[in-house]
Structures are given as C-alpha cells and as structure tokens.
Amino acid sequence: MAADCATQNAFNIDDPGASGAIPNYLTGIVHLVSAAAESRSLAVPDCAGLDLTLVMKTDGGDITLTVASAYDESGSTTVVFSDPGQFIRFISFEVASGTYAWRRIAHDGVTGPAVASQTVAG
C-alpha cells in the first residue's frame, strides 16, 4: 500500500541500522549511527515535497548510502559519511508525470555528490 504523504510528517526518523532501508515517504531527520562499516538505502520517493536530512551522529565506521535513482545532474547515487556532523539534505519532486526523484539541496563533509553545492550571496 502506498504511503499517504499528505498525512505523514515525522521529525526524528529512526536510523534503520546496518543494511537498513530509510523510509522514502517521511519528512524529517535521520541521525545515523554506525558500529562498523555499514550501508543504508533510500528508495525513490513516493510523492513530491518531502524534505529529508541524513546526518552522521555516531561514527563507529563509514556509512555508505545508496539512493535508488540519481540525486544530482551528474547521476550520483552514493554518499559516504565518515565523521559526525556530516550531512546531506534531499527534497523530492515530480520529474515527469507520476515519476518522483530525490534531489540533493545541501551537503557538508560527505563524499559522493559530483556537483558542488551553490553558495547564495546575501
């Protein structure tokens, strides 16, 4: 059953743990905790308008996130967290009728994004 994104709103989303899948229908923050080198996955979003931030909270080893579809214009699909405080933020939107995607809107410290974030002058 597809998630009802209009009624789902979470702030703190539980880290699914090693080899776990991060929910793709919630808005909020996932505080990642590793005990060793681990992985996480993120499926294609179910709807537009979701805002998802992943931040490394505890570093017991690198965490590699694999996103099910490209999150930037270069086709990047992986992100590696290696230190506490590193983060990446995604937003979901409709890229074609009925087709949704994550796009990276900010990151700091993680490796993987092929396109640099833009700096906005104030």
Side-chain angles (χ1 to χ4, degrees):
M1 182 169 133
D4 180 0
C5 291
T7 61
Q8 296 294 325
N9 186 12
F11 187 69
N12 287 305
I13 301 167
D14 291 336
D15 180 358
S19 301
I22 295 168
N24 65 337
Y25 59 89
L26 298 173
T27 289
I29 298 172
V30 180
H31 292 94
L32 301 169
V33 175
S34 66
E38 299 176 356
S39 63
R40 307 288 189 280
S41 61
L42 179 61
V44 173
D46 293 336
C47 57
L50 301 174
D51 187 332
L52 184 62
T53 301
L54 293 91
V55 60
M56 183 175 241
K57 179 180 177 184
T58 304
D59 178 12
D62 291 359
I63 297 174
T64 300
L65 171 71
T66 301
V67 182
S69 63
Y71 61 77
D72 65 21
E73 64 186 42
S74 295
S76 302
T77 59
T78 60
V79 177
V80 178
F81 299 83
S82 59
D83 288 307
Q86 293 180 342
F87 82 94
I88 191 161
R89 185 173 178 192
F90 297 106
I91 191 165
S92 67
F93 57 90
E94 194 170 17
V95 294
S97 183
T99 302
Y100 301 95
W102 293 109
R103 288 297 183 261
R104 181 227 26 189
I105 57 174
H107 74 279
D108 186 35
V110 297
T111 57
V115 179
S117 292
Q118 299 297 314
T119 302
V120 179

